[in-house]
Amino acid sequence: MMESNATREVNMMQARDIAALSDVDLARRIGLRDPAAVRLLTTRNNQRLFRAAWSILGNRAEAEDAVQSAYVSAFAAIGSFAGQSSLATWLTRIVINEALGHERAAQRRRARLDAASVTDLERYREKLMGGSFERGEPEASLAIKQLRGILEAAIAQLPAEFRTVFVMRDVEGMTVEEVADALDTLPATIKTRLFRARRRLREALAPEVHASLTGAFPFAGADCASMTERVVATLFGPPPAA
């Protein structure tokens, strides 16, 4: 038991030491095939990279494949990382290129199919916006899930170049400069695409939001009756005793 506790303590210390490394030093440890360094890097970046890939491919399975392939390519070229950008941005650029390659290959495959055929894409609908909302009341959780579904569907309908910028900036929280660096595009172009993406989303969501608001803030049944009785009692006093 003592050895087990000691081993766990050493592992925790090593994990803290690795977490404190700079990007360049972390890349060096990955180049040495340090499992703890690889685990830390992937844990830190899995969500961002998946979202970036999904924003291009619109398909969960294909996005996961693109991220996995990107990691393999990144680890093979980790020695070229010089720290000119953050390691996260460097990885994002690689996964975007990988996803674009997957998309081009898919387009070539579709071009060989009957023009009337329809590809049934599985939309990513589980954790795009992040977080867990199942801890609250059932009604609140259901409402949040429904609203999330409406939003995700609207995002999925954006043009690819707008969708990628929107997901990276507004969903993942990257800065304009980081998105521009990852996409090898001018910040001004990123801002323009983001503005247009937000405008399209507002236009697409307006009818849905209006319909949802129609039944919002219900005040009926026992609540309504109780309010009426309180007002009556305030104005006219309590009812006479029977």
mmCIF file of all heavy atoms in Angstrom, residues 188-216:
data_model
loop_
_atom_site.group_PDB
_atom_site.id
_atom_site.type_symbol
_atom_site.label_atom_id
_atom_site.label_comp_id
_atom_site.label_asym_id
_atom_site.label_seq_id
_atom_site.Cartn_x
_atom_site.Cartn_y
_atom_site.Cartn_z
ATOM 1 N N ALA A 188 -8.642 40.931 -40.657
ATOM 2 C CA ALA A 188 -9.778 41.681 -41.196
ATOM 3 C C ALA A 188 -10.761 40.760 -41.905
ATOM 4 O O ALA A 188 -11.988 40.939 -41.822
ATOM 5 C CB ALA A 188 -9.293 42.767 -42.146
ATOM 6 N N THR A 189 -10.242 39.766 -42.603
ATOM 7 C CA THR A 189 -11.112 38.801 -43.279
ATOM 8 C C THR A 189 -11.880 37.966 -42.262
ATOM 9 O O THR A 189 -13.073 37.677 -42.452
ATOM 10 C CB THR A 189 -10.278 37.883 -44.184
ATOM 11 O OG1 THR A 189 -9.565 38.691 -45.138
ATOM 12 C CG2 THR A 189 -11.154 36.884 -44.923
ATOM 13 N N ILE A 190 -11.207 37.588 -41.183
ATOM 14 C CA ILE A 190 -11.861 36.822 -40.123
ATOM 15 C C ILE A 190 -13.008 37.634 -39.529
ATOM 16 O O ILE A 190 -14.113 37.121 -39.301
ATOM 17 C CB ILE A 190 -10.859 36.428 -39.035
ATOM 18 C CG1 ILE A 190 -9.765 35.522 -39.608
ATOM 19 C CG2 ILE A 190 -11.567 35.758 -37.863
ATOM 20 C CD1 ILE A 190 -10.270 34.232 -40.198
ATOM 21 N N LYS A 191 -12.763 38.906 -39.260
ATOM 22 C CA LYS A 191 -13.802 39.762 -38.678
ATOM 23 C C LYS A 191 -15.003 39.884 -39.610
ATOM 24 O O LYS A 191 -16.156 39.856 -39.166
ATOM 25 C CB LYS A 191 -13.220 41.133 -38.370
ATOM 26 C CG LYS A 191 -12.207 41.135 -37.241
ATOM 27 C CD LYS A 191 -11.642 42.535 -37.015
ATOM 28 C CE LYS A 191 -10.609 42.547 -35.905
ATOM 29 N NZ LYS A 191 -10.025 43.905 -35.702
ATOM 30 N N THR A 192 -14.736 40.006 -40.907
ATOM 31 C CA THR A 192 -15.826 40.120 -41.875
ATOM 32 C C THR A 192 -16.655 38.841 -41.917
ATOM 33 O O THR A 192 -17.894 38.883 -41.900
ATOM 34 C CB THR A 192 -15.264 40.425 -43.277
ATOM 35 O OG1 THR A 192 -14.567 41.676 -43.244
ATOM 36 C CG2 THR A 192 -16.376 40.500 -44.300
ATOM 37 N N ARG A 193 -15.985 37.701 -41.958
ATOM 38 C CA ARG A 193 -16.703 36.427 -42.001
ATOM 39 C C ARG A 193 -17.495 36.206 -40.714
ATOM 40 O O ARG A 193 -18.620 35.693 -40.754
ATOM 41 C CB ARG A 193 -15.715 35.280 -42.219
ATOM 42 C CG ARG A 193 -15.077 35.282 -43.601
ATOM 43 C CD ARG A 193 -14.066 34.155 -43.741
ATOM 44 N NE ARG A 193 -13.391 34.191 -45.038
ATOM 45 C CZ ARG A 193 -12.410 33.372 -45.399
ATOM 46 N NH1 ARG A 193 -11.994 32.439 -44.541
ATOM 47 N NH2 ARG A 193 -11.853 33.471 -46.587
ATOM 48 N N LEU A 194 -16.907 36.590 -39.585
ATOM 49 C CA LEU A 194 -17.598 36.424 -38.312
ATOM 50 C C LEU A 194 -18.847 37.301 -38.258
ATOM 51 O O LEU A 194 -19.911 36.859 -37.814
ATOM 52 C CB LEU A 194 -16.657 36.776 -37.162
ATOM 53 C CG LEU A 194 -17.217 36.615 -35.755
ATOM 54 C CD1 LEU A 194 -17.583 35.158 -35.489
ATOM 55 C CD2 LEU A 194 -16.194 37.097 -34.715
ATOM 56 N N PHE A 195 -18.722 38.539 -38.724
ATOM 57 C CA PHE A 195 -19.863 39.445 -38.748
ATOM 58 C C PHE A 195 -20.987 38.869 -39.604
ATOM 59 O O PHE A 195 -22.162 38.878 -39.202
ATOM 60 C CB PHE A 195 -19.435 40.806 -39.295
ATOM 61 C CG PHE A 195 -20.573 41.757 -39.552
ATOM 62 C CD1 PHE A 195 -21.149 42.463 -38.502
ATOM 63 C CD2 PHE A 195 -21.072 41.924 -40.836
ATOM 64 C CE1 PHE A 195 -22.214 43.331 -38.743
ATOM 65 C CE2 PHE A 195 -22.127 42.791 -41.081
ATOM 66 C CZ PHE A 195 -22.690 43.495 -40.023
ATOM 67 N N ARG A 196 -20.626 38.347 -40.776
ATOM 68 C CA ARG A 196 -21.634 37.797 -41.668
ATOM 69 C C ARG A 196 -22.253 36.524 -41.104
ATOM 70 O O ARG A 196 -23.455 36.268 -41.275
ATOM 71 C CB ARG A 196 -21.026 37.546 -43.040
ATOM 72 C CG ARG A 196 -20.642 38.840 -43.765
ATOM 73 C CD ARG A 196 -19.960 38.575 -45.090
ATOM 74 N NE ARG A 196 -19.649 39.831 -45.772
ATOM 75 C CZ ARG A 196 -18.927 39.921 -46.878
ATOM 76 N NH1 ARG A 196 -18.444 38.813 -47.446
ATOM 77 N NH2 ARG A 196 -18.682 41.099 -47.440
ATOM 78 N N ALA A 197 -21.431 35.700 -40.430
ATOM 79 C CA ALA A 197 -21.953 34.481 -39.814
ATOM 80 C C ALA A 197 -22.963 34.817 -38.726
ATOM 81 O O ALA A 197 -24.045 34.218 -38.646
ATOM 82 C CB ALA A 197 -20.805 33.657 -39.234
ATOM 83 N N ARG A 198 -22.627 35.793 -37.885
ATOM 84 C CA ARG A 198 -23.541 36.185 -36.808
ATOM 85 C C ARG A 198 -24.834 36.758 -37.372
ATOM 86 O O ARG A 198 -25.917 36.476 -36.852
ATOM 87 C CB ARG A 198 -22.852 37.211 -35.908
ATOM 88 C CG ARG A 198 -21.738 36.624 -35.039
ATOM 89 C CD ARG A 198 -20.967 37.726 -34.354
ATOM 90 N NE ARG A 198 -19.974 37.206 -33.417
ATOM 91 C CZ ARG A 198 -19.037 37.956 -32.838
ATOM 92 N NH1 ARG A 198 -18.983 39.264 -33.113
ATOM 93 N NH2 ARG A 198 -18.179 37.426 -31.988
ATOM 94 N N ARG A 199 -24.718 37.548 -38.435
ATOM 95 C CA ARG A 199 -25.912 38.134 -39.041
ATOM 96 C C ARG A 199 -26.815 37.048 -39.611
ATOM 97 O O ARG A 199 -28.040 37.073 -39.431
ATOM 98 C CB ARG A 199 -25.524 39.130 -40.130
ATOM 99 C CG ARG A 199 -26.722 39.850 -40.756
ATOM 100 C CD ARG A 199 -26.276 40.895 -41.748
ATOM 101 N NE ARG A 199 -25.523 40.299 -42.843
ATOM 102 C CZ ARG A 199 -24.882 40.997 -43.780
ATOM 103 N NH1 ARG A 199 -24.878 42.323 -43.730
ATOM 104 N NH2 ARG A 199 -24.234 40.386 -44.754
ATOM 105 N N ARG A 200 -26.226 36.080 -40.291
ATOM 106 C CA ARG A 200 -27.025 34.990 -40.862
ATOM 107 C C ARG A 200 -27.699 34.176 -39.761
ATOM 108 O O ARG A 200 -28.843 33.745 -39.911
ATOM 109 C CB ARG A 200 -26.139 34.083 -41.719
ATOM 110 C CG ARG A 200 -25.696 34.730 -43.025
ATOM 111 C CD ARG A 200 -25.120 33.699 -43.960
ATOM 112 N NE ARG A 200 -24.660 34.319 -45.203
ATOM 113 C CZ ARG A 200 -24.669 33.708 -46.380
ATOM 114 N NH1 ARG A 200 -25.143 32.478 -46.477
ATOM 115 N NH2 ARG A 200 -24.219 34.306 -47.471
ATOM 116 N N LEU A 201 -26.982 33.960 -38.658
ATOM 117 C CA LEU A 201 -27.569 33.207 -37.561
ATOM 118 C C LEU A 201 -28.748 33.958 -36.943
ATOM 119 O O LEU A 201 -29.773 33.361 -36.613
ATOM 120 C CB LEU A 201 -26.518 32.916 -36.491
ATOM 121 C CG LEU A 201 -25.553 31.770 -36.794
ATOM 122 C CD1 LEU A 201 -24.521 31.647 -35.686
ATOM 123 C CD2 LEU A 201 -26.302 30.457 -36.958
ATOM 124 N N ARG A 202 -28.593 35.264 -36.775
ATOM 125 C CA ARG A 202 -29.695 36.059 -36.231
ATOM 126 C C ARG A 202 -30.925 35.949 -37.128
ATOM 127 O O ARG A 202 -32.051 35.790 -36.653
ATOM 128 C CB ARG A 202 -29.280 37.524 -36.082
ATOM 129 C CG ARG A 202 -28.397 37.803 -34.880
ATOM 130 C CD ARG A 202 -28.349 39.281 -34.569
ATOM 131 N NE ARG A 202 -27.827 40.067 -35.672
ATOM 132 C CZ ARG A 202 -26.538 40.355 -35.846
ATOM 133 N NH1 ARG A 202 -25.639 39.895 -34.977
ATOM 134 N NH2 ARG A 202 -26.137 41.082 -36.870
ATOM 135 N N GLU A 203 -30.685 36.059 -38.437
ATOM 136 C CA GLU A 203 -31.800 35.979 -39.375
ATOM 137 C C GLU A 203 -32.444 34.594 -39.365
ATOM 138 O O GLU A 203 -33.673 34.457 -39.437
ATOM 139 C CB GLU A 203 -31.315 36.322 -40.783
ATOM 140 C CG GLU A 203 -30.857 37.772 -40.932
ATOM 141 C CD GLU A 203 -30.181 38.034 -42.263
ATOM 142 O OE1 GLU A 203 -29.927 37.051 -43.003
ATOM 143 O OE2 GLU A 203 -29.882 39.208 -42.567
ATOM 144 N N ALA A 204 -31.609 33.544 -39.259
ATOM 145 C CA ALA A 204 -32.131 32.176 -39.282
ATOM 146 C C ALA A 204 -32.864 31.834 -37.989
ATOM 147 O O ALA A 204 -33.860 31.098 -38.004
ATOM 148 C CB ALA A 204 -30.991 31.190 -39.517
ATOM 149 N N LEU A 205 -32.376 32.370 -36.886
ATOM 150 C CA LEU A 205 -32.939 32.009 -35.588
ATOM 151 C C LEU A 205 -34.134 32.859 -35.187
ATOM 152 O O LEU A 205 -34.896 32.473 -34.284
ATOM 153 C CB LEU A 205 -31.860 32.123 -34.505
ATOM 154 C CG LEU A 205 -30.735 31.090 -34.570
ATOM 155 C CD1 LEU A 205 -29.630 31.442 -33.589
ATOM 156 C CD2 LEU A 205 -31.265 29.696 -34.279
ATOM 157 N N ALA A 206 -34.309 34.000 -35.826
ATOM 158 C CA ALA A 206 -35.375 34.913 -35.415
ATOM 159 C C ALA A 206 -36.744 34.241 -35.352
ATOM 160 O O ALA A 206 -37.456 34.366 -34.346
ATOM 161 C CB ALA A 206 -35.419 36.134 -36.336
ATOM 162 N N PRO A 207 -37.181 33.505 -36.394
ATOM 163 C CA PRO A 207 -38.502 32.866 -36.310
ATOM 164 C C PRO A 207 -38.577 31.822 -35.198
ATOM 165 O O PRO A 207 -39.600 31.707 -34.514
ATOM 166 C CB PRO A 207 -38.670 32.209 -37.698
ATOM 167 C CG PRO A 207 -37.706 32.928 -38.583
ATOM 168 C CD PRO A 207 -36.551 33.286 -37.706
ATOM 169 N N GLU A 208 -37.487 31.048 -35.016
ATOM 170 C CA GLU A 208 -37.479 30.018 -33.983
ATOM 171 C C GLU A 208 -37.563 30.637 -32.593
ATOM 172 O O GLU A 208 -38.287 30.166 -31.720
ATOM 173 C CB GLU A 208 -36.204 29.162 -34.102
ATOM 174 C CG GLU A 208 -36.102 28.373 -35.395
ATOM 175 C CD GLU A 208 -37.005 27.152 -35.379
ATOM 176 O OE1 GLU A 208 -37.675 26.902 -34.356
ATOM 177 O OE2 GLU A 208 -37.054 26.445 -36.404
ATOM 178 N N VAL A 209 -36.795 31.710 -32.392
ATOM 179 C CA VAL A 209 -36.793 32.363 -31.085
ATOM 180 C C VAL A 209 -38.162 32.963 -30.799
ATOM 181 O O VAL A 209 -38.688 32.863 -29.684
ATOM 182 C CB VAL A 209 -35.700 33.445 -31.022
ATOM 183 C CG1 VAL A 209 -35.831 34.267 -29.749
ATOM 184 C CG2 VAL A 209 -34.318 32.804 -31.098
ATOM 185 N N HIS A 210 -38.775 33.582 -31.821
ATOM 186 C CA HIS A 210 -40.098 34.178 -31.634
ATOM 187 C C HIS A 210 -41.113 33.106 -31.246
ATOM 188 O O HIS A 210 -41.931 33.295 -30.326
ATOM 189 C CB HIS A 210 -40.552 34.873 -32.915
ATOM 190 C CG HIS A 210 -41.929 35.468 -32.807
ATOM 191 N ND1 HIS A 210 -42.199 36.609 -32.084
ATOM 192 C CD2 HIS A 210 -43.119 35.048 -33.317
ATOM 193 C CE1 HIS A 210 -43.486 36.886 -32.150
ATOM 194 N NE2 HIS A 210 -44.070 35.946 -32.891
ATOM 195 N N ALA A 211 -41.062 31.971 -31.927
ATOM 196 C CA ALA A 211 -41.989 30.891 -31.613
ATOM 197 C C ALA A 211 -41.764 30.356 -30.208
ATOM 198 O O ALA A 211 -42.712 30.022 -29.491
ATOM 199 C CB ALA A 211 -41.832 29.763 -32.641
ATOM 200 N N SER A 212 -40.492 30.282 -29.794
ATOM 201 C CA SER A 212 -40.178 29.773 -28.460
ATOM 202 C C SER A 212 -40.643 30.734 -27.378
ATOM 203 O O SER A 212 -41.053 30.320 -26.294
ATOM 204 C CB SER A 212 -38.667 29.528 -28.333
ATOM 205 O OG SER A 212 -38.238 28.563 -29.264
ATOM 206 N N LEU A 213 -40.561 32.035 -27.667
ATOM 207 C CA LEU A 213 -40.925 33.029 -26.668
ATOM 208 C C LEU A 213 -42.434 33.115 -26.451
ATOM 209 O O LEU A 213 -42.885 33.613 -25.423
ATOM 210 C CB LEU A 213 -40.400 34.410 -27.083
ATOM 211 C CG LEU A 213 -38.894 34.618 -26.952
ATOM 212 C CD1 LEU A 213 -38.513 35.977 -27.508
ATOM 213 C CD2 LEU A 213 -38.453 34.500 -25.509
ATOM 214 N N THR A 214 -43.199 32.630 -27.434
ATOM 215 C CA THR A 214 -44.652 32.732 -27.323
ATOM 216 C C THR A 214 -45.164 32.093 -26.041
ATOM 217 O O THR A 214 -46.055 32.625 -25.374
ATOM 218 C CB THR A 214 -45.321 32.072 -28.543
ATOM 219 O OG1 THR A 214 -44.877 32.739 -29.727
ATOM 220 C CG2 THR A 214 -46.835 32.170 -28.440
ATOM 221 N N GLY A 215 -44.603 30.953 -25.672
ATOM 222 C CA GLY A 215 -45.055 30.266 -24.471
ATOM 223 C C GLY A 215 -44.151 30.462 -23.277
ATOM 224 O O GLY A 215 -44.249 29.723 -22.297
ATOM 225 N N ALA A 216 -43.249 31.428 -23.346
ATOM 226 C CA ALA A 216 -42.295 31.633 -22.265
ATOM 227 C C ALA A 216 -42.945 32.302 -21.065
ATOM 228 O O ALA A 216 -43.972 32.970 -21.183
ATOM 229 C CB ALA A 216 -41.120 32.474 -22.766
#
